[in-house]
Amino acid sequence: MSQKLLEVEDLRVTFPTHQGDVEVVKGISFDLGRERLAIVGESGSGKSMTGRAILKLIRSPGRVTAKKFVFDGIDLNKQSERQMRKLRGARISMVMQDPKFSLNPVLSIEDQIAEALRTHQTLTRKELDEKVLHMLEQVRINDPARVAKLYPHEVSGGMGQRIMIAMMLIPEPDLLIADEPTSALDVSVQAQVLDLIDNLIREKGMGLILISHDLNLVANYADRVLVMNAGEIVEQRDAADLQNATHPYTQGLLNAMPRLDETRDELPTLDRTQWAAT
Amino acid sequence: MSAIELNNLNIAYSSVQVVHGASLTVEEGESFALVGESGSGKSTILKAICGLNDEWTGEIKLYGEKVDPRKRADISRISQMVFQDPYGSLHPRKTVDTTLSEPLTIHGIKDNGDRVVEMLNAVGLDQRYRFRFPHQMSGGQRQRVAIARALMLKPKLMLLDEPTSALDVSVQAEILNLLKQLRKDQNLTFLLVTHDLPVVSFLCDRLAVMKKGKIVEIATRDQLAKGTFNEPYSQELYQASKHEHVA
Ligand SMILES: Nc1ncnc2c1ncn2[C@@H]1O[C@H](COP(=O)(O)OP(=O)(O)OP(=O)(O)O)[C@@H](O)[C@H]1O
Ligand SMILES: Nc1ncnc2c1ncn2[C@@H]1O[C@H](COP(=O)(O)OP(=O)(O)OP(=O)(O)O)[C@@H](O)[C@H]1O
Ligand SMILES: [Mg+2]
Ligand SMILES: [Mg+2]
């Protein structure tokens, strides 16, 4: 049975502004199995809005419509807010681009991880404490016993990201949406954290939507890549085939990356007139 | 004259010391990077320099003048900081226009909006964004507003905390080019935190590598290009970056 985990057809996200309605996601369609799909694209191209739309987390006055919008046989178009709340976290979870914003500011790191664990399983206090420390270790936090006692405003940027990832993995969701999950981490910690996510995904047969602007990362941690530009999907490729990208936008992205032994005085930037015509 | 001089700087939060004996000098017009482990104290050093944390001992000198943590002078005309977290650093109920023009108003600088328009253009945001609120923009767009705001007062020194980590490479390239150009035109000094070594290679002359609250090594761009660091941890960072390239 090759049941699709997610089917999206003609997804649109619209916001009213002074200048009239703006469509920021313009009728995109894609399917996802139990695989790793990446969405890359320029800042403002609609990556986060696509992720949030799947969880129906677009704030009013924004509007979401889709011809087909089905998660594991469940018609998302027909789900009430109450039903969505049950899906969120438990079956679909999202690591937000603004991790510190998504953590509860008045709970210590230890208390929020414990809370997430408790909704998932019954554990004694001692087991909880051990599990919390174990989770922090898994995301490569140094000195987990100290960090557990800190509040969100007291952790560094990269620590916040990893805490958020640890929390989102606890319920073992069927679909994980990770929005720039490691953008504050250096390459080696990034790799360790992504390996952790990767292992879990393979082990549990989960689906992953990895939103990133980092082409290297995507080439290594996704099977398939969607390239978005101005609310549309402009290219779809196997990750292994990324360097053969043909769309000028994707090629432009590949050239704009600085290198370790950089000698160029200026980095090539994109000539947006080449494709913004639509 | 050096723009920044740190001598044996120790920084704590509520008596827990997180930075241990950091010393470095950034010359005027130099671009200097702080790299290293997440949680190693990079943001903490920037915050101490710009006066957001006074719990330190040792010495901080800006343009030759010793900073007294108990008597902070307003240094916003000289130095500006761009924060790591663009979500937290923009006021949620202020439009982009207000955010950008406010520093001018506060310092009694007359301007009819030209500078706002100019800076928005410089960071690659068109006029549509001028009257938006932070929640009406993407992550990268907010980060660009934060960079534009820091540039409004034409500071001499910029403290940049992961200024491009929320940006895709195309916008990153525009911002990096802009920073490089500004440095050339206005002899700006940068102290830049980044986890991205290629960014260092493009923009910076030297870098300090941090681990567990200590500076383990200060190296040149040339050493970075060749991968000839002296410390094992720096070499490790270098190796990890080197393996990263589109398959
Ligand atoms: N409330 C809103 N009103 C109007 N436009 C909005 C609103 N929220 C977001 N947008 C616009 O929607 C577009 C898509 O935003 P989105 O956050 O999906 O971008 P993104 O691809 O995730 O970019 P980044 O890489 O910078 O995070 C942006 O151009 C943004 O300005
Ligand atoms: N307000 C605070 N109260 C207590 N501890 C803090 C506070 N801010 C930071 N710390 C601690 O200081 C240490 C250094 O944090 P800092 O933010 O400087 O790290 P960083 O090098 O910038 O890391 P990253 O690359 O992840 O942003 C961390 O262990 C962090 O938990
Ligand atoms: Mg985004
Ligand atoms: Mg930091």
Side-chain angles (χ1 to χ4, degrees):
Chain A
M1 193 180 67
S2 68
Q3 171 79 298
K4 293 254 161 56
L5 192 55
L6 183 70
E7 290 166 274
V8 178
E9 197 185 319
D10 200 25
L11 175 70
R12 291 170 192 273
V13 179
T14 314
F15 286 101
T17 68
H18 303 296
Q19 296 101 325
D21 281 5
V22 188
E23 217 171 50
V24 300
V25 177
K26 298 175 181 155
I28 65 170
S29 305
F30 63 92
D31 288 342
L32 177 81
R34 298 196 176 258
E35 60 174 331
R36 308 170 305 165
L37 176 75
I39 305 181
V40 303
E42 192 170 25
S43 169
S45 58
K47 306 181 295 293
S48 297
M49 288 301 151
T50 301
R52 297 184 72 107
I54 295 167
L55 284 162
K56 293 186 70 176
L57 278 177
I58 302 287
R59 268 178 250 128
S60 159
R63 292 190 308 274
V64 182
T65 62
K67 280 206 190 104
K68 192 169 186 189
F69 205 14
V70 180
F71 166 73
D72 203 17
I74 303 167
D75 187 351
L76 294 176
N77 276 328
K78 296 210 180 94
Q79 299 297 295
S80 67
E81 175 54 27
R82 228 187 78 225
Q83 289 169 311
M84 279 313 294
R85 261 196 301 253
K86 278 203 191 134
L87 280 180
R88 276 182 218 134
R91 301 210 51 206
I92 312 178
S93 67
M94 180 161 175
V95 179
M96 300 281 180
Q97 193 173 2
D98 45 353
K100 283 209 210 168
F101 239 50
S102 323
L103 293 169
N104 184 341
V106 299
L107 281 187
S108 68
I109 300 306
E110 162 177 76
D111 287 346
Q112 33 205 313
I113 298 181
E115 197 176 276
L117 282 167
R118 260 196 303 256
T119 46
H120 189 56
Q121 55 195 130
T122 1
L123 294 163
T124 65
R125 183 73 232 177
K126 188 160 167 280
E127 285 169 331
L128 262 180
D129 287 348
E130 277 166 10
K131 241 187 148 138
V132 168
L133 290 185
H134 178 66
M135 300 266 357
L136 291 175
E137 265 163 28
Q138 274 199 311
V139 289
R140 299 293 181 274
I141 299 260
N142 284 331
D143 201 357
R146 179 183 72 88
V147 174
K149 306 278 182 224
L150 297 177
Y151 285 83
H153 74 276
E154 299 175 326
V155 301
S156 77
M159 287 155 76
Q161 283 195 326
R162 286 175 286 163
I163 290 162
M164 197 65 204
I165 291 170
M167 289 189 50
M168 290 302 128
L169 292 177
I170 289 171
E172 297 179 358
D174 298 277
L175 171 59
L176 177 70
I177 305 172
D179 193 354
E180 306 281 4
T182 56
S183 62
L185 301 176
D186 68 69
V187 192
S188 61
V189 178
Q190 194 171 63
Q192 291 171 338
V193 171
L194 287 167
D195 286 340
L196 172 76
I197 297 181
D198 213 56
N199 285 338
L200 213 70
I201 289 193
R202 288 169 199 277
E203 234 167 75
K204 313 274 180 216
M206 293 160 52
L208 170 72
I209 298 181
L210 178 64
I211 299 175
S212 176
H213 61 265
D214 186 334
L215 296 174
N216 290 319
L217 185 151
V218 159
N220 290 323
Y221 290 95
D223 307 308
R224 220 151 42 91
V225 183
L226 304 181
V227 182
M228 280 186 80
N229 188 243
E232 295 175 79
I233 295 176
V234 295
E235 182 150 14
Q236 294 208 38
R237 288 212 162 249
D238 286 339
D241 196 29
L242 200 56
Q243 77 276 30
N244 299 325
T246 52
H247 192 273
Y249 173 66
T250 324
Q251 284 180 338
L253 280 184
L254 291 169
N255 289 331
M257 273 191 288
R259 294 190 276 262
L260 259 178
D261 51 351
E262 189 55 69
T263 51
R264 290 172 292 184
D265 205 34
E266 196 175 324
L267 296 169
T269 53
L270 294 171
D271 175 9
R272 295 189 171 74
T273 55
Q274 282 183 76
W275 60 85
T278 48
Chain B
M1 197 192 334
S2 18
I4 305 175
E5 215 183 305
L6 309 181
N7 288 315
N8 199 18
L9 186 63
N10 301 306
I11 314 173
Y13 291 105
S14 327
S15 309
V16 180
Q17 190 175 339
V18 299
V19 171
H20 309 268
S23 300
L24 59 86
T25 305
V26 183
E27 297 305 329
E28 203 168 355
E30 188 179 0
S31 176
F32 192 101
L34 280 180
V35 307
E37 225 181 14
S38 166
S40 60
K42 304 180 297 292
S43 299
T44 298
I45 289 185
L46 293 202
K47 286 183 195 159
I49 295 173
C50 78
L52 284 171
N53 179 359
D54 286 344
E55 217 183 313
W56 52 265
T57 60
E59 189 177 69
I60 301 179
K61 275 190 191 167
L62 294 177
Y63 294 92
E65 285 196 35
K66 263 195 204 174
V67 173
D68 182 342
R70 289 169 307 276
K71 276 190 286 175
R72 287 297 311 202
D74 178 15
I75 55 165
S76 58
R77 295 291 297 265
I78 300 171
S79 165
Q80 283 284 325
M81 173 149 174
V82 175
F83 294 90
Q84 184 168 11
D85 172 14
Y87 296 88
S89 68
L90 296 179
H91 193 291
R93 277 187 283 284
K94 287 184 182 162
T95 64
V96 170
D97 186 69
T98 311
T99 299
L100 295 186
S101 39
E102 218 168 41
L104 298 180
T105 321
I106 291 170
H107 289 89
I109 299 167
K110 293 234 170 7
D111 183 84
N112 49 15
D114 288 357
R115 184 127 182 99
V116 172
V117 173
E118 184 194 342
M119 282 300 111
L120 278 179
N121 281 335
V123 294
L125 288 175
D126 67 52
Q127 297 308 309
R128 273 183 302 166
Y129 297 99
R130 187 163 167 193
F131 296 101
R132 291 233 185 139
F133 291 94
H135 73 269
Q136 298 174 317
M137 290 182 291
S138 77
Q141 289 163 346
R142 284 181 241 205
Q143 182 66 311
R144 284 181 273 170
V145 172
I147 293 171
R149 176 180 58 186
L151 291 168
M152 287 303 288
L153 289 173
K154 301 190 176 156
K156 293 203 286 182
L157 168 66
M158 292 199 44
L159 307 171
L160 302 155
D161 198 349
E162 302 275 9
T164 60
S165 68
L167 302 176
D168 72 280
V169 285
S170 68
V171 179
Q172 167 173 290
E174 285 165 26
I175 300 281
L176 293 177
N177 286 339
L178 169 71
L179 291 174
K180 203 164 189 176
Q181 193 61 42
L182 284 167
R183 192 181 151 207
K184 219 185 261 168
D185 297 348
Q186 305 175 14
N187 199 30
L188 234 74
T189 307
F190 297 129
L191 179 57
L192 168 114
V193 173
T194 179
H195 65 273
D196 192 334
L197 293 181
V199 166
V200 177
S201 175
F202 178 70
L203 193 66
C204 301
D205 312 302
R206 290 189 298 151
L207 67 156
V209 181
M210 292 193 67
K211 188 174 189 203
K212 297 208 164 86
K214 294 198 173 110
I215 293 179
V216 296
E217 175 166 14
I218 292 179
T220 63
R221 194 214 339 244
D222 197 43
Q223 277 175 281
L224 170 62
K226 298 196 179 103
T228 51
F229 289 99
N230 296 318
E231 288 296 316
Y233 176 66
S234 322
Q235 202 60 32
E236 214 177 281
L237 275 185
Y238 171 81
Q239 287 300 343
S241 284
K242 213 175 141 192
H243 288 306
E244 266 259 318
H245 50 79
V246 173

